[in-house]
Amino acid sequence: MVTPHIETLCTLLAQVLGARQLSLCTAESCTGGLISASCTQLSGSSAWFERGWVTYANAAKTTELGVPDDLIRAHGAVSEPVAAAMARGAQQRAGVHASVATTGVAGPTGGSPEKPVGLVWFGWCVGTQLWTESQHFAGDRAAVRAAAVAHALARLHTYLTQSPEPEATTDQ
């Protein structure tokens, strides 16, 4: 279910993307498609939302997004380099202007001292610019995932409004 806050964020994104005639894709692991679902819940989102990948398994990150297997082995799936590679790989494979990626530990299992439950790494691409960031969210699995969706959308809006006009990228 999309909360009013997330719906507002999606509406703001739709306004920016639509006004600038930009397109968006997602690459999601811990959020399991919730960002895509939130965006496509808006009527008219097909004008700016291209596609989304749910790459929960490491093999999917590699085959679908081009994340190098050795990168995952070296840093783990929940890491800055993997979030960056997911965002860039999605953007290039979809040939869009912007992308957002998430990888994290939503819990309640799977955490470790180095990567605790609630840790989420994000990657955003707008044109040739790439940003990454981690956040640690409190709460149960649903709360962590909802917070990650809201954060991903809010930061994407910021990066879109602060970036020069991006060109779509492709892997060709």
Side-chain angles (χ1 to χ4, degrees):
M1 174 178 229
V2 177
T3 67
H5 176 65
I6 290 173
E7 185 175 351
T8 299
L9 289 169
C10 289
T11 300
L12 292 171
L13 274 176
Q15 291 168 352
V16 172
L17 291 163
R20 294 178 72 184
Q21 297 183 335
L22 303 178
S23 52
L24 170 68
C25 74
T26 64
E28 302 180 65
S29 186
C30 65
T31 50
L34 292 174
I35 297 170
S36 296
S38 298
C39 290
T40 58
Q41 186 152 329
L42 283 178
S43 178
S45 58
S46 61
W48 51 269
F49 188 85
E50 169 68 29
R51 69 183 85 173
W53 283 272
V54 176
T55 55
Y56 216 64
N58 291 346
K61 291 172 183 64
T62 299
T63 59
E64 296 297 314
L65 303 173
V67 177
D69 187 53
D70 60 343
L71 192 71
I72 296 171
R73 279 196 308 272
H75 301 280
V78 180
S79 65
E80 181 177 24
V82 171
M86 289 172 67
R88 183 64 76 205
Q91 182 196 37
Q92 291 175 342
R93 288 180 182 224
V96 297
H97 305 95
S99 68
V100 57
T102 60
T103 183
V105 185
T109 61
S112 69
E114 300 81 28
K115 296 179 183 182
V117 169
L119 173 66
V120 180
W121 274 100
F122 299 87
W124 298 271
C125 288
V126 177
T128 59
Q129 295 181 287
L130 172 67
W131 299 269
T132 57
E133 161 181 3
S134 69
Q135 290 288 312
H136 187 255
F137 302 110
D140 63 10
R141 183 176 184 82
V144 167
R145 289 165 42 120
V149 170
H151 184 79
L153 294 170
R155 280 286 197 270
L156 178 60
H157 182 264
T158 298
Y159 295 139
L160 283 166
T161 56
Q162 294 178 352
S163 298
E165 194 71 27
E167 293 184 19
T169 60
T170 64
D171 62 351
Q172 299 173 3

